[in-house]
mmCIF file of all heavy atoms in Angstrom:
data_model
loop_
_atom_site.group_PDB
_atom_site.id
_atom_site.type_symbol
_atom_site.label_atom_id
_atom_site.label_comp_id
_atom_site.label_asym_id
_atom_site.label_seq_id
_atom_site.Cartn_x
_atom_site.Cartn_y
_atom_site.Cartn_z
ATOM 1 N N VAL A 1492 93.754 93.944 94.202
ATOM 2 C CA VAL A 1492 93.784 93.077 92.998
ATOM 3 C C VAL A 1492 95.218 92.715 92.731
ATOM 4 O O VAL A 1492 96.119 93.543 92.822
ATOM 5 C CB VAL A 1492 93.144 93.755 91.776
ATOM 6 C CG1 VAL A 1492 93.260 92.889 90.538
ATOM 7 C CG2 VAL A 1492 91.742 94.170 92.049
ATOM 8 N N THR A 1493 95.472 91.479 92.398
ATOM 9 C CA THR A 1493 96.803 90.944 92.012
ATOM 10 C C THR A 1493 96.709 90.555 90.548
ATOM 11 O O THR A 1493 95.732 89.976 90.113
ATOM 12 C CB THR A 1493 97.193 89.754 92.797
ATOM 13 O OG1 THR A 1493 97.220 90.058 94.194
ATOM 14 C CG2 THR A 1493 98.585 89.186 92.420
ATOM 15 N N PHE A 1494 97.699 91.039 89.791
ATOM 16 C CA PHE A 1494 97.702 90.789 88.339
ATOM 17 C C PHE A 1494 99.143 90.648 87.896
ATOM 18 O O PHE A 1494 100.046 91.067 88.557
ATOM 19 C CB PHE A 1494 97.018 91.867 87.554
ATOM 20 C CG PHE A 1494 97.523 93.257 87.832
ATOM 21 C CD1 PHE A 1494 98.481 93.807 87.104
ATOM 22 C CD2 PHE A 1494 97.010 93.970 88.944
ATOM 23 C CE1 PHE A 1494 99.002 95.080 87.408
ATOM 24 C CE2 PHE A 1494 97.501 95.256 89.210
ATOM 25 C CZ PHE A 1494 98.501 95.745 88.458
ATOM 26 N N GLU A 1495 99.355 90.071 86.719
ATOM 27 C CA GLU A 1495 100.642 89.896 86.094
ATOM 28 C C GLU A 1495 100.819 90.843 84.936
ATOM 29 O O GLU A 1495 99.882 90.957 84.098
ATOM 30 C CB GLU A 1495 100.911 88.412 85.665
ATOM 31 C CG GLU A 1495 101.139 87.547 86.823
ATOM 32 C CD GLU A 1495 101.619 86.129 86.400
ATOM 33 O OE1 GLU A 1495 101.677 85.869 85.205
ATOM 34 O OE2 GLU A 1495 101.939 85.358 87.320
ATOM 35 N N LEU A 1496 101.982 91.435 84.880
ATOM 36 C CA LEU A 1496 102.350 92.266 83.695
ATOM 37 C C LEU A 1496 103.262 91.388 82.868
ATOM 38 O O LEU A 1496 104.323 90.936 83.303
ATOM 39 C CB LEU A 1496 103.056 93.528 84.091
ATOM 40 C CG LEU A 1496 102.251 94.618 84.770
ATOM 41 C CD1 LEU A 1496 103.105 95.790 85.022
ATOM 42 C CD2 LEU A 1496 101.048 95.021 83.924
ATOM 43 N N GLU A 1497 102.845 91.131 81.659
ATOM 44 C CA GLU A 1497 103.620 90.350 80.675
ATOM 45 C C GLU A 1497 104.178 91.345 79.674
ATOM 46 O O GLU A 1497 103.799 92.482 79.648
ATOM 47 C CB GLU A 1497 102.730 89.282 80.007
ATOM 48 C CG GLU A 1497 102.283 88.249 81.003
ATOM 49 C CD GLU A 1497 101.373 87.263 80.334
ATOM 50 O OE1 GLU A 1497 100.899 87.413 79.217
ATOM 51 O OE2 GLU A 1497 101.101 86.215 80.987
ATOM 52 N N PRO A 1498 105.067 90.899 78.801
ATOM 53 C CA PRO A 1498 105.651 91.836 77.792
ATOM 54 C C PRO A 1498 104.519 92.526 77.078
ATOM 55 O O PRO A 1498 103.472 91.969 76.718
ATOM 56 C CB PRO A 1498 106.425 90.947 76.838
ATOM 57 C CG PRO A 1498 106.872 89.808 77.774
ATOM 58 C CD PRO A 1498 105.672 89.619 78.719
ATOM 59 N N HIS A 1499 104.646 93.885 76.908
ATOM 60 C CA HIS A 1499 103.794 94.787 76.234
ATOM 61 C C HIS A 1499 102.547 95.056 77.002
ATOM 62 O O HIS A 1499 101.522 95.529 76.514
ATOM 63 C CB HIS A 1499 103.434 94.300 74.791
ATOM 64 C CG HIS A 1499 104.638 93.945 73.991
ATOM 65 N ND1 HIS A 1499 105.568 94.817 73.623
ATOM 66 C CD2 HIS A 1499 105.087 92.697 73.599
ATOM 67 C CE1 HIS A 1499 106.585 94.226 72.955
ATOM 68 N NE2 HIS A 1499 106.294 92.934 72.987
ATOM 69 N N SER A 1500 102.567 94.816 78.337
ATOM 70 C CA SER A 1500 101.446 95.184 79.224
ATOM 71 C C SER A 1500 101.734 96.534 79.844
ATOM 72 O O SER A 1500 102.828 96.968 79.993
ATOM 73 C CB SER A 1500 101.338 94.177 80.390
ATOM 74 O OG SER A 1500 101.034 92.875 79.924
ATOM 75 N N PHE A 1501 100.646 97.189 80.167
ATOM 76 C CA PHE A 1501 100.679 98.564 80.760
ATOM 77 C C PHE A 1501 99.898 98.610 82.069
ATOM 78 O O PHE A 1501 98.786 97.978 82.141
ATOM 79 C CB PHE A 1501 100.110 99.490 79.710
ATOM 80 C CG PHE A 1501 100.122 100.907 80.059
ATOM 81 C CD1 PHE A 1501 101.330 101.636 79.934
ATOM 82 C CD2 PHE A 1501 99.026 101.577 80.541
ATOM 83 C CE1 PHE A 1501 101.360 102.987 80.274
ATOM 84 C CE2 PHE A 1501 99.123 102.896 80.883
ATOM 85 C CZ PHE A 1501 100.233 103.602 80.756
ATOM 86 N N PHE A 1502 100.442 99.324 83.028
ATOM 87 C CA PHE A 1502 99.715 99.512 84.302
ATOM 88 C C PHE A 1502 99.829 100.973 84.688
ATOM 89 O O PHE A 1502 100.849 101.624 84.611
ATOM 90 C CB PHE A 1502 100.406 98.641 85.358
ATOM 91 C CG PHE A 1502 99.996 98.968 86.782
ATOM 92 C CD1 PHE A 1502 98.699 98.961 87.201
ATOM 93 C CD2 PHE A 1502 100.956 99.238 87.697
ATOM 94 C CE1 PHE A 1502 98.345 99.276 88.493
ATOM 95 C CE2 PHE A 1502 100.637 99.538 89.024
ATOM 96 C CZ PHE A 1502 99.375 99.555 89.408
ATOM 97 N N ALA A 1503 98.678 101.571 85.078
ATOM 98 C CA ALA A 1503 98.647 102.976 85.530
ATOM 99 C C ALA A 1503 98.106 102.989 86.947
ATOM 100 O O ALA A 1503 96.956 102.512 87.211
ATOM 101 C CB ALA A 1503 97.816 103.815 84.637
ATOM 102 N N ALA A 1504 98.856 103.586 87.881
ATOM 103 C CA ALA A 1504 98.408 103.696 89.283
ATOM 104 C C ALA A 1504 98.026 105.126 89.482
ATOM 105 O O ALA A 1504 98.830 106.042 89.358
ATOM 106 C CB ALA A 1504 99.506 103.275 90.247
ATOM 107 N N PRO A 1505 96.738 105.422 89.779
ATOM 108 C CA PRO A 1505 96.341 106.781 90.004
ATOM 109 C C PRO A 1505 96.914 107.332 91.307
ATOM 110 O O PRO A 1505 97.434 106.571 92.139
ATOM 111 C CB PRO A 1505 94.797 106.683 90.078
ATOM 112 C CG PRO A 1505 94.534 105.295 90.517
ATOM 113 C CD PRO A 1505 95.633 104.463 89.920
ATOM 114 N N PRO A 1506 96.819 108.648 91.524
ATOM 115 C CA PRO A 1506 97.422 109.209 92.729
ATOM 116 C C PRO A 1506 96.824 108.546 93.993
ATOM 117 O O PRO A 1506 95.608 108.245 94.057
ATOM 118 C CB PRO A 1506 96.931 110.695 92.601
ATOM 119 C CG PRO A 1506 96.825 110.927 91.129
ATOM 120 C CD PRO A 1506 96.269 109.676 90.610
ATOM 121 N N ASN A 1507 97.734 108.326 94.929
ATOM 122 C CA ASN A 1507 97.373 107.836 96.321
ATOM 123 C C ASN A 1507 96.909 106.409 96.349
ATOM 124 O O ASN A 1507 96.461 105.931 97.373
ATOM 125 C CB ASN A 1507 96.364 108.755 96.971
ATOM 126 C CG ASN A 1507 96.880 110.181 97.001
ATOM 127 O OD1 ASN A 1507 98.009 110.426 97.385
ATOM 128 N ND2 ASN A 1507 96.065 111.127 96.489
ATOM 129 N N LEU A 1508 97.030 105.647 95.267
ATOM 130 C CA LEU A 1508 96.714 104.178 95.286
ATOM 131 C C LEU A 1508 97.902 103.412 95.781
ATOM 132 O O LEU A 1508 98.947 103.499 95.172
ATOM 133 C CB LEU A 1508 96.294 103.698 93.906
ATOM 134 C CG LEU A 1508 95.942 102.225 93.795
ATOM 135 C CD1 LEU A 1508 94.664 101.912 94.560
ATOM 136 C CD2 LEU A 1508 95.929 101.722 92.383
ATOM 137 N N LEU A 1509 97.768 102.680 96.890
ATOM 138 C CA LEU A 1509 98.845 101.820 97.355
ATOM 139 C C LEU A 1509 99.035 100.678 96.344
ATOM 140 O O LEU A 1509 98.070 100.009 95.938
ATOM 141 C CB LEU A 1509 98.495 101.206 98.697
ATOM 142 C CG LEU A 1509 98.629 102.161 99.902
ATOM 143 C CD1 LEU A 1509 98.126 101.489 101.141
ATOM 144 C CD2 LEU A 1509 100.096 102.595 100.038
ATOM 145 N N HIS A 1510 100.254 100.476 95.922
ATOM 146 C CA HIS A 1510 100.595 99.433 94.981
ATOM 147 C C HIS A 1510 102.014 98.924 95.287
ATOM 148 O O HIS A 1510 102.776 99.563 95.926
ATOM 149 C CB HIS A 1510 100.488 99.901 93.543
ATOM 150 C CG HIS A 1510 101.313 101.074 93.183
ATOM 151 N ND1 HIS A 1510 100.974 102.324 93.573
ATOM 152 C CD2 HIS A 1510 102.434 101.148 92.437
ATOM 153 C CE1 HIS A 1510 101.899 103.163 93.114
ATOM 154 N NE2 HIS A 1510 102.812 102.448 92.466
ATOM 155 N N ARG A 1511 102.242 97.622 94.837
ATOM 156 C CA ARG A 1511 103.584 97.061 95.086
ATOM 157 C C ARG A 1511 103.767 95.924 94.126
ATOM 158 O O ARG A 1511 102.862 95.403 93.565
ATOM 159 C CB ARG A 1511 103.779 96.574 96.463
ATOM 160 C CG ARG A 1511 102.929 95.328 96.791
ATOM 161 C CD ARG A 1511 103.156 94.864 98.279
ATOM 162 N NE ARG A 1511 102.755 93.509 98.443
ATOM 163 C CZ ARG A 1511 103.619 92.510 98.579
ATOM 164 N NH1 ARG A 1511 104.915 92.696 98.488
ATOM 165 N NH2 ARG A 1511 103.136 91.267 98.749
ATOM 166 N N MET A 1512 105.044 95.528 93.974
ATOM 167 C CA MET A 1512 105.359 94.309 93.210
ATOM 168 C C MET A 1512 104.957 93.182 94.171
ATOM 169 O O MET A 1512 105.512 93.102 95.275
ATOM 170 C CB MET A 1512 106.828 94.286 92.844
ATOM 171 C CG MET A 1512 107.142 93.123 91.913
ATOM 172 S SD MET A 1512 108.886 93.077 91.447
ATOM 173 C CE MET A 1512 108.906 94.486 90.314
ATOM 174 N N GLY A 1513 104.082 92.317 93.713
ATOM 175 C CA GLY A 1513 103.500 91.324 94.568
ATOM 176 C C GLY A 1513 104.303 89.984 94.519
ATOM 177 O O GLY A 1513 103.907 89.030 93.878
ATOM 178 N N GLY A 1514 105.448 90.027 95.136
ATOM 179 C CA GLY A 1514 106.351 88.798 95.103
ATOM 180 C C GLY A 1514 107.425 89.044 94.141
ATOM 181 O O GLY A 1514 107.267 89.846 93.165
ATOM 182 N N ARG A 1515 108.506 88.416 94.375
ATOM 183 C CA ARG A 1515 109.683 88.584 93.527
ATOM 184 C C ARG A 1515 109.528 87.829 92.199
ATOM 185 O O ARG A 1515 108.955 86.737 92.176
ATOM 186 C CB ARG A 1515 110.913 88.148 94.271
ATOM 187 C CG ARG A 1515 110.980 88.853 95.581
ATOM 188 C CD ARG A 1515 112.296 89.295 95.954
ATOM 189 N NE ARG A 1515 112.138 90.246 97.062
ATOM 190 C CZ ARG A 1515 113.040 90.457 97.969
ATOM 191 N NH1 ARG A 1515 114.150 89.857 97.871
ATOM 192 N NH2 ARG A 1515 112.809 91.391 98.877
ATOM 193 N N PRO A 1516 109.950 88.376 91.084
ATOM 194 C CA PRO A 1516 109.809 87.722 89.806
ATOM 195 C C PRO A 1516 110.678 86.502 89.768
ATOM 196 O O PRO A 1516 111.683 86.375 90.516
ATOM 197 C CB PRO A 1516 110.275 88.800 88.791
ATOM 198 C CG PRO A 1516 111.002 89.780 89.581
ATOM 199 C CD PRO A 1516 110.542 89.701 90.982
ATOM 200 N N LYS A 1517 110.342 85.535 88.874
ATOM 201 C CA LYS A 1517 111.135 84.282 88.776
ATOM 202 C C LYS A 1517 112.336 84.466 87.934
ATOM 203 O O LYS A 1517 113.284 83.688 88.038
ATOM 204 C CB LYS A 1517 110.213 83.239 88.184
ATOM 205 C CG LYS A 1517 109.098 82.855 89.079
ATOM 206 C CD LYS A 1517 108.172 81.834 88.405
ATOM 207 C CE LYS A 1517 106.995 81.544 89.381
ATOM 208 N NZ LYS A 1517 105.994 80.704 88.791
ATOM 209 N N ALA A 1518 112.374 85.480 87.105
ATOM 210 C CA ALA A 1518 113.522 85.749 86.212
ATOM 211 C C ALA A 1518 113.696 87.251 85.986
ATOM 212 O O ALA A 1518 112.843 88.021 86.398
ATOM 213 C CB ALA A 1518 113.309 85.026 84.874
ATOM 214 N N LYS A 1519 114.753 87.618 85.394
ATOM 215 C CA LYS A 1519 115.009 89.017 85.076
ATOM 216 C C LYS A 1519 113.852 89.560 84.272
ATOM 217 O O LYS A 1519 113.287 88.854 83.408
ATOM 218 C CB LYS A 1519 116.349 89.126 84.287
ATOM 219 C CG LYS A 1519 116.687 90.571 83.940
ATOM 220 C CD LYS A 1519 118.076 90.574 83.355
ATOM 221 C CE LYS A 1519 118.128 89.995 81.948
ATOM 222 N NZ LYS A 1519 119.372 90.240 81.271
ATOM 223 N N HIS A 1520 113.460 90.802 84.516
ATOM 224 C CA HIS A 1520 112.478 91.481 83.674
ATOM 225 C C HIS A 1520 112.859 92.894 83.434
ATOM 226 O O HIS A 1520 113.646 93.425 84.143
ATOM 227 C CB HIS A 1520 111.055 91.286 84.257
ATOM 228 C CG HIS A 1520 110.875 91.974 85.575
ATOM 229 N ND1 HIS A 1520 111.354 91.474 86.763
ATOM 230 C CD2 HIS A 1520 110.250 93.073 85.940
ATOM 231 C CE1 HIS A 1520 111.012 92.310 87.774
ATOM 232 N NE2 HIS A 1520 110.367 93.264 87.264
#
């Protein structure tokens, strides 16, 4: 699944789940 984290968003990756930043951000975050 691909999703965006916006301000005040939360993401939790459980143990052993492959995850990555999906592309470089357009601006500082």
